[in-house]
Each structure stands twice: as structure tokens, then as C-alpha cells.
């Protein structure tokens, strides 16, 4: 958990990408629950990610059984981003109960999200939390400098401009806004 624009999603996508490149023994699945906010939408997204095409005329339960058969042949890492946007948390019960070799990451801005979970799901998750804290002013400046060096030819931006962008991003506590200003 942590505030928006701090790098939660980027970090987890980076880890999934490394897994994908290094092994075929682990199936990486990333789902944005802001876009896929129901068990059925998540189920269809998982089917797409594991290349299961026979979804027509099957309900969520049938699809979940098929998914379990496929995913239980290997290990799986499932990342549910913006988990607090999920309208029905029953998919968490399926993931924790029916998938055998799994790691589950729930990403949220809300530090207290776990409190809202049903105790039966919470006890199956046995969650540990990791807080993404806002960047310091120095870290923000370094990130903006690094991105500017990567994106632009040398000496195209004055040091003062980079510092001004970093100061604004730090004030907003949102690196994304600093990257947007840098682009503009």
C-alpha cells in the first residue's frame, strides 16, 4: 500500500517481467481491478492471460474450474492492483482456496484495506504488508534528473527547470505528476 504515483504498480510489473523472462515454471498474472472489478471480469482476464479460449457460454464457476486445472500444473503469481475497487471479493476466496502453488499481491492506496476483508479470506491469505512511503525531496529530484537524462539530449533542460519540476512533484507527493511536467 501507499499513495498514488509512488511506484507500487511499476515495481510489481517489473518483478512479473523478470519472472516471465527467467522461468516458464511460474505463470505471472497482473490484473487492474479498477478495470476488471467483478469476479467474472477477472476470470475472463485470467483466461485471456493463460490463453484459454473456450469461454463462450460458460459461467464464472465453470471458468474458474478450468483456470484451476491449468494454473495448478505450475506456480502462479497473481497481482490484483487497485484491489479496493473490487465490487465482489469472492474471487479472493477462489484464489486462496483452489490454487495450490500461488503468491498473491494486493495493491491498494488504502492502508486499512485488509480490515475490510472477510475473516475467512484474511486467514487464508495470511497477509504481510509492505508500505511504499512517499519519496523524500532529494529522492524526487534524483528520479526527475535521471528521467530527464534518459529522455533528453544533454544540457537541453536547465538545472533550475528540473529542480522546479521536482519541487512540484514532491509537493504533490506524486512522481507521476513530475514525469508529466517533464514531458510537457
Amino acid at each position: 500500500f501507499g499513495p498514488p504515483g509512488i511506484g507500487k504498480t511499476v515495481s510489481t510489473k517489473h518483478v512479473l517481467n523478470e519472472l516471465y523472462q527467467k522461468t516458464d515454471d511460474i505463470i505471472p498474472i497482473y490484473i487492474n481491478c479498477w478495470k476488471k472489478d467483478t469476479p467474472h471480469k477477472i476470470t475472463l482476464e485470467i483466461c485471456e492471460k493463460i490463453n484459454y479460449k473456450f469461454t463462450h457460454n460458460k459461467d464464472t464457476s465453470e471458468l474458474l474450474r478450468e483456470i484451476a486445472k491449468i494454473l495448478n500444473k505450475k506456480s502462479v503469481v497473481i497481482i490484483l492492483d487497485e484491489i479496493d475497487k473490487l465490487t465482489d471479493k469472492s474471487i479472493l476466496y477462489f484464489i486462496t482456496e483452489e490454487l495450490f502453488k500461488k503468491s498473491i499481491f494486493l495493491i491498494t492506496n488504502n492502508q486499512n484495506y485488509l480490515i475490510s476483508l472477510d475473516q475467512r479470506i484474511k486467514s487464508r491469505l495470511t497477509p504481510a504488508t509492505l508500505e511504499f512511503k512517499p519519496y523524500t525531496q532529494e529522492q524526487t529530484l534524483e528520479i526527475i534528473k535521471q528521467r530527464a537524462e534518459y529522455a533528453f539530449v544533454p544540457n537541453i533542460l536547465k538545472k533550475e527547470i528540473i529542480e522546479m519540476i521536482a519541487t512540484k512533484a514532491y509537493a504533490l507527493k506524486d512522481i507521476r505528476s513530475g514525469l508529466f511536467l517533464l514531458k510537457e
Side-chain angles (χ1 to χ4, degrees):
F1 69 90
I6 203 72
K8 300 179 301 292
T9 299
V10 169
S11 296
T12 54
K13 282 184 171 181
H14 181 74
V15 170
L16 282 184
N17 190 41
E18 281 188 22
L19 278 174
Y20 180 76
Q21 290 178 6
K22 292 190 185 219
T23 183
D24 291 332
D25 296 330
I26 301 172
I27 302 168
I29 298 175
Y30 169 87
I31 298 174
N32 183 333
C33 295
W34 195 301
K35 296 177 182 176
K36 311 293 180 187
D37 63 346
T38 66
H40 190 70
K41 289 177 185 176
I42 289 173
T43 301
L44 289 174
E45 183 73 5
I46 293 172
C47 286
E48 184 177 315
K49 295 202 184 262
I50 63 173
N51 207 24
Y52 180 77
K53 303 290 185 196
F54 307 104
T55 60
H56 190 65
N57 291 332
K58 289 185 181 172
D59 66 19
T60 305
S61 297
E62 291 173 293
L63 290 172
L64 288 173
R65 282 192 294 278
E66 294 301 321
I67 286 170
K69 286 180 197 173
I70 294 166
L71 294 181
N72 284 334
K73 292 176 183 175
K74 294 186 178 189
S75 295
V76 63
V77 173
I78 297 178
I79 296 176
L80 298 173
D81 198 355
E82 304 288 358
I83 188 68
D84 49 308
K85 299 302 178 192
L86 200 58
T87 58
D88 176 348
K89 299 171 188 160
S90 62
I91 192 74
L92 293 174
Y93 187 86
F94 164 79
I95 292 169
T96 58
E97 194 67 15
E98 300 299 324
L99 300 181
F100 304 140
K101 297 181 284 183
K102 78 261 182 195
S103 292
I104 307 164
F105 294 84
L106 309 177
I107 303 174
T108 181
N109 299 333
N110 181 357
Q111 179 177 356
N112 299 315
Y113 175 75
L114 290 175
I115 294 168
S116 72
L117 290 178
D118 183 288
Q119 186 58 38
R120 292 164 290 197
I121 293 174
K122 230 187 301 189
S123 69
R124 282 172 173 80
L125 279 172
T126 59
T129 60
L130 175 63
E131 180 179 5
F132 280 62
K133 295 182 180 183
Y135 295 112
T136 65
Q137 192 160 4
E138 296 78 27
Q139 290 169 324
T140 303
L141 177 60
E142 282 306 308
I143 291 167
I144 298 299
K145 269 192 208 175
Q146 190 179 63
R147 294 295 175 92
E149 289 170 7
Y150 182 74
F152 302 110
V153 295
N155 302 316
I156 196 76
L157 290 177
K158 292 182 182 178
K159 180 181 173 185
E160 295 80 20
I161 298 292
I162 293 173
E163 289 172 353
M164 185 172 41
I165 290 171
T167 299
K168 185 66 174 175
Y170 176 73
L172 294 171
K173 303 286 186 220
D174 189 346
I175 285 293
R176 225 180 279 134
S177 65
L179 299 177
F180 173 79
L181 289 172
L182 193 59
K183 185 179 109 180
E184 291 299 305

